[in-house]
Each structure stands twice: as structure tokens, then as C-alpha cells.
Amino acid sequence: MAMTKMQYKNFIFDINPSDIKLTLKKNLAKTNVMHSTQVCSEVGESVAVISGKGRFVGENAIKKAYELIRIYNKQGADFLFTPCCAPMLAVFNKLNISYSSDSKRVEYTFEFTQQGRRKAEKYDFGYTFANEGENLFDIAERTQISIEKIVELNDFCGVFSVKEGDKVWLM
């Protein structure tokens, strides 16, 4: 499988960040019951946070950093594509830039926060990536694309042969 290049609002990272971290958290309700026992139950999921760090190198390093700052300053959410997880609607909410003295290396850290955990009405970028434990039926449900269309567009041996990280065409 070819490595997806990280992309957000028409900014494509020439080289993927060296570190990408996906943080997921479940909201829990804790209830005290008799005899000092506590019961824990899931009450929902928080939005995902993707953070990481990387660097731009070469003659155009500062130019790429300025482009990234410009994208950061644009308001509103957009689709974030990363090599580590399925595309998600996210807001670019944190950016740190460090310039080297020779102007040929710029290091950065970033953070994106998922806009919401609701289902997308329709994916308009033409594909998604399989999440852990998903099969084509799950992907059809998540993307609201018919299973027949997904089977027709892809070359999987069967609906259960998809693996985490596989690119699944939707259009």
C-alpha cells in the first residue's frame, strides 16, 4: 500500500511528519455503590486529536513554513488526510514553528482536533481508509455508500478481506 501524504486545505506535506500521534478518549461515568465500590460505564466518545512534529528541509523550507502558517490562519474545518488513520473533518488548532539559523531547516509541531463524531453525509474525496476491525459492510455504513457500489469499485477478495489501513474507493 502506498503511503498517503498528509494533507489539509490544499497543503500537501512533501515529507510526512516524522511523528504523528492519534489520541482517542472515551467519556466515562463513575458511580459509587454500596461498600465503597465504584462502577464505571461508557457514556460516549470525545473527538479525536491528531498531533505531531516534522521538519521542512532545503532551499524552500521557509517558504513551506509560511504556507503552513497561512493554512493555519484560515478559519473553519476541512478534511485532514494522514497516513495513520481515515480522513476526518478537523480544525487546525495549534502550530509551533522553529527556524534554524541557516534557513534551510524549519521544524514544526501541530495539532488538529476532529470537528465532531457525527457521520459524514457524503464523502466527496472518493476514498477512505479501513479502520481496525472494519469490514466492507462497516465502511458502507460509516460512509453511507452502498455495499454494492463499494464492492464494484474495489478489488477485495470478499467483504471481510479488508485490513486496517487499506484504501477503499467510494466513487
Side-chain angles (χ1 to χ4, degrees), residues 40-111:
C40 182
S41 60
E42 294 180 29
V43 293
E45 293 183 27
S46 296
V47 292
V49 175
I50 294 186
S51 58
K53 64 182 178 180
R55 68 176 52 103
F56 301 120
V57 293
E59 298 295 327
N60 69 346
I62 289 180
K63 180 181 176 192
K64 291 299 284 185
Y66 287 146
E67 288 177 39
L68 188 59
I69 292 168
R70 185 179 58 79
I71 295 301
Y72 170 79
N73 287 327
K74 285 185 175 183
Q75 293 186 355
D78 205 338
F79 281 100
L80 172 65
F81 299 86
T82 67
C84 68
C85 56
M88 70 174 67
L89 197 57
V91 175
F92 195 172
N93 62 291
K94 189 184 289 185
L95 177 65
N96 293 307
I97 303 275
S98 298
Y99 298 93
S100 69
S101 59
D102 66 5
S103 302
K104 292 185 180 177
R105 188 182 81 241
V106 177
E107 295 182 0
Y108 59 87
T109 62
F110 61 87
E111 183 178 278

Side-chain angles (χ1 to χ4, degrees), residues 4-36:
T4 301
K5 292 219 177 184
M6 190 161 147
Q7 179 179 343
Y8 183 77
K9 287 190 179 182
N10 297 324
F11 182 85
I12 299 173
F13 291 73
D14 295 338
I15 299 171
N16 280 328
S18 57
D19 296 310
I20 300 175
K21 176 181 172 185
L22 171 64
T23 304
L24 301 169
K25 180 181 171 187
K26 291 186 177 182
N27 295 322
L28 304 175
K30 297 176 183 175
T31 308
N32 292 323
V33 293
M34 294 176 71
H35 308 295
S36 301

